[in-house]
Amino acid sequence: LSSVEWRDSAGHALADYRRPSLAVDVALLTVVDGRLRVLLHEKHDGQWSLPGRFVRIDETLRDAALLALREKVGVTGQEPEQLRVFDALDRDSRGRVVTVAHVDLVPEKLLETATGELRPVAELPQLAFHHREIVEKAVERVRAEYRERPDPRRLLSEPFTLFELQRVHEAVLGERLQKDTFRRRMLPGLQETDTVQRGTVGKPARLFQRHPPTNG
Amino acid sequence: LSSVEWRDSAGHALADYRRPSLAVDVALLTVVDGRLRVLLHEKHDGQWSLPGRFVRIDETLRDAALLALREKVGVTGQEPEQLRVFDALDRDSRGRVVTVAHVDLVPEKLLETATGELRPVAELPQLAFHHREIVEKAVERVRAEYRERPDPRRLLSEPFTLFELQRVHEAVLGERLQKDTFRRRMLPGLQETDTVQRGTVGKPARLFQRHPPTNG
DNA sequence: CCAATAGTGTCTATCAGACAGTATGTC
DNA sequence: GACATACTGTCTGATAGACACTATTGG
């Protein structure tokens, strides 16, 4: 530890300056009833907001994001991903807080114990801070991922039919898709299994898995 | 200011916890001699690194990034843009520092007063921390922008010919381009002027400007 | 055989990439 | 007129989107 590195050109140590606090906010998305939704919780003052938390000195952003989900809304997150940093000087009336916005998308099953409300992302209430912008960016991010690859956030459990996959993608993207185009776009990322769905009317659908990581 | 908001569920005030320090690092890119380069500076211990700086309580990230460029390498930046946050617990041997990586790309003209070295991004020396990853992400970002639009970071001063524009894009992308394809890709983002280049051999080239913002 | 759903052949429009032509200036 | 460079018509191959056809099951 070279204490000289802690000093700037004027000879002041880092501790001499007041520092911003660092926080995380998480837009936790899921699909319920065929609609993409975000988990909001109501604060003491009645405003809706995303779960968030200050980052402590021994935590990574990922840890802080998962803890925020656990503590604020009682949910086990999966893989929170950074969206961007919000740093406006007047963001937070409590003082200077710089926040790293995150997104996560998890199956409904993981939200059984959740507190808060799952609002459709197309019908957001008034949100605190810049949380509306965070949700919009989060939605944009997962939609871009779902346009590229079959169910990259693993909402579906394997194996699944292309029809089930299409329903999930339609919910995330918020639009109807054509089955033949969808099939051809997704096939390169899928692994055919040797079994088909049983007990349904019509030609039985083939069951698929996501591609193993050994295939680029 | 509601002091109750500063407390967590256990009743501790924010100030009770030790907090990470927040910093910015900037990959400042430019084009010299037809090659994309990044400005590095050598620290006291002889290691190469990107210009960086701690963020103070009354600064935005943008301000901190511009100050880092001014103080560490004597350069006036233009529009530093966030890349992502690096937060590994052991990143910085001096303590817990979370850093927001930025990218900026400016014309060579603004670097006349710069201290440090402009190294081609294809031949990086050993860098401190995760700075190599930052440079790679920075390069990726500006390349994506230059594939979409003509000179989005305004390296060229207007008006310019398509040939001049192509040289700049080739330098940023690090590959040769075909002039006819390039022309057709860039034309929608350009505004033709009514003048042509004079004093050159061959058919004079038309001069262009970037599209005014009134055109999507 | 019929109904219903899965899966596919193929047409079209679009676009990137490339070649080789035409246009228009200097000398 | 020769030459050099700017600009463009057009061919090709890849791809997304759409339509309508064929395939395969349960009843």
Side-chain angles (χ1 to χ4, degrees):
Chain A
L1 289 180
S2 66
S3 75
V4 87
E5 288 286 2
W6 280 101
R7 300 180 180 280
D8 66 11
S9 48
H12 294 110
L14 175 68
D16 293 349
Y17 300 109
R18 298 186 64 212
R19 292 174 283 150
S21 298
L22 186 63
V24 291
D25 288 309
V26 188
L28 181 68
L29 305 177
T30 191
V31 169
V32 179
D33 294 336
R35 305 185 73 178
L36 185 61
R37 294 162 188 264
V38 60
L39 184 56
L40 302 178
H41 84 290
E42 199 169 10
K43 294 193 303 180
H44 305 115
D45 60 4
Q47 262 214 311
W48 292 98
S49 73
L50 298 174
R53 187 179 192 277
F54 287 107
V55 179
R56 301 193 191 166
I57 199 164
D58 56 351
E59 289 172 350
T60 63
L61 294 177
R62 179 192 145 88
D63 292 341
L66 292 175
L67 277 169
L69 290 179
R70 174 117 42 95
E71 294 173 354
K72 292 283 168 65
V73 290
V75 165
T76 303
Q78 292 196 143
E79 296 191 22
E81 187 187 344
Q82 288 178 28
L83 287 172
R84 87 169 185 86
V85 184
F86 288 83
D87 67 334
L89 293 174
D90 57 354
R91 273 196 72 244
D92 192 320
S93 60
R94 300 168 298 174
R96 184 75 209 288
V97 180
V98 171
T99 188
V100 184
H102 286 71
V103 58
D104 202 352
L105 175 59
V106 304
E108 185 184 1
K109 201 175 309 178
L110 290 185
L111 298 186
E112 278 166 0
T113 62
T115 62
E117 291 196 16
L118 289 170
R119 296 292 186 93
V121 297
E123 304 160 14
L124 293 177
Q126 273 259 293
L127 295 182
F129 309 132
H130 296 80
H131 287 182
R132 177 181 214 96
E133 198 177 338
I134 294 176
V135 174
E136 281 163 6
K137 225 177 170 57
V139 169
E140 202 180 294
R141 172 78 58 97
V142 299
R143 284 185 175 163
E145 292 175 7
Y146 272 74
R147 277 190 204 98
E148 294 302 310
R149 273 189 310 289
D151 192 26
R153 299 272 179 165
R154 305 182 156 271
L155 290 180
L156 277 179
S157 53
E158 299 176 333
F160 45 77
T161 66
L162 274 164
F163 188 72
E164 292 164 345
L165 183 66
Q166 183 174 340
R167 283 283 168 271
V168 167
H169 278 242
E170 286 174 341
V172 171
L173 297 177
E175 63 187 1
R176 302 309 289 261
L177 300 171
Q178 208 123 343
K179 71 170 179 176
D180 45 4
T181 306
F182 179 74
R183 178 187 197 84
R184 270 183 274 256
R185 261 196 84 66
M186 293 301 134
L187 267 186
L190 292 174
Q191 177 96 42
E192 199 175 301
T193 71
D194 52 5
T195 52
V196 294
Q197 203 176 40
R198 304 306 309 254
T200 54
V201 184
K203 178 172 173 177
R206 172 128 268 128
L207 291 167
F208 292 87
Q209 305 170 342
R210 297 175 197 83
H211 240 160
T214 69
N215 206 312
Chain B
L1 290 181
S2 64
S3 75
V4 88
E5 289 286 2
W6 280 102
R7 298 178 181 281
D8 67 12
S9 48
H12 294 110
L14 175 68
D16 294 348
Y17 300 107
R18 296 186 65 211
R19 292 173 282 149
S21 297
L22 186 64
V24 291
D25 287 309
V26 188
L28 182 68
L29 305 176
T30 191
V31 169
V32 178
D33 294 334
R35 306 185 73 178
L36 185 61
R37 293 162 189 266
V38 61
L39 184 57
L40 302 178
H41 84 290
E42 200 168 10
K43 294 190 303 176
H44 306 114
D45 60 4
Q47 261 216 311
W48 291 99
S49 72
L50 298 174
R53 185 180 193 277
F54 287 107
V55 178
R56 301 193 191 167
I57 199 163
D58 56 351
E59 289 172 350
T60 62
L61 295 176
R62 180 192 144 88
D63 292 341
L66 293 173
L67 277 168
L69 291 179
R70 175 116 41 97
E71 294 173 354
K72 292 284 168 65
V73 290
V75 165
T76 303
Q78 290 195 144
E79 296 191 20
E81 186 186 343
Q82 288 178 27
L83 287 172
R84 87 170 184 86
V85 184
F86 288 83
D87 67 333
L89 292 174
D90 57 354
R91 273 195 69 245
D92 192 322
S93 60
R94 298 168 297 174
R96 184 73 208 287
V97 181
V98 171
T99 188
V100 184
H102 286 71
V103 57
D104 203 353
L105 174 60
V106 304
E108 185 184 358
K109 200 175 309 177
L110 291 184
L111 298 186
E112 279 166 0
T113 62
T115 62
E117 291 196 18
L118 289 170
R119 295 293 186 91
V121 297
E123 303 161 15
L124 294 177
Q126 273 259 293
L127 295 182
F129 308 131
H130 296 80
H131 287 183
R132 177 181 214 96
E133 198 177 338
I134 294 177
V135 174
E136 280 163 7
K137 223 176 173 57
V139 168
E140 201 179 295
R141 171 79 57 99
V142 299
R143 283 184 176 163
E145 292 174 8
Y146 272 74
R147 278 190 203 99
E148 294 301 310
R149 274 188 309 288
D151 192 27
R153 298 273 179 164
R154 304 184 157 271
L155 290 180
L156 278 179
S157 52
E158 300 177 331
F160 45 77
T161 67
L162 273 165
F163 188 72
E164 292 163 346
L165 183 67
Q166 184 174 340
R167 283 281 168 273
V168 168
H169 278 243
E170 285 175 341
V172 171
L173 297 178
E175 62 185 3
R176 302 309 290 261
L177 301 171
Q178 207 122 343
K179 69 172 178 176
D180 45 4
T181 306
F182 180 74
R183 177 188 198 82
R184 271 183 272 257
R185 260 196 85 65
M186 292 301 134
L187 267 186
L190 293 173
Q191 177 95 40
E192 199 174 299
T193 71
D194 51 5
T195 52
V196 295
Q197 201 176 41
R198 303 305 308 254
T200 54
V201 184
K203 178 172 172 178
R206 173 127 268 130
L207 291 167
F208 291 87
Q209 305 170 342
R210 296 176 198 83
H211 238 160
T214 68
N215 207 314

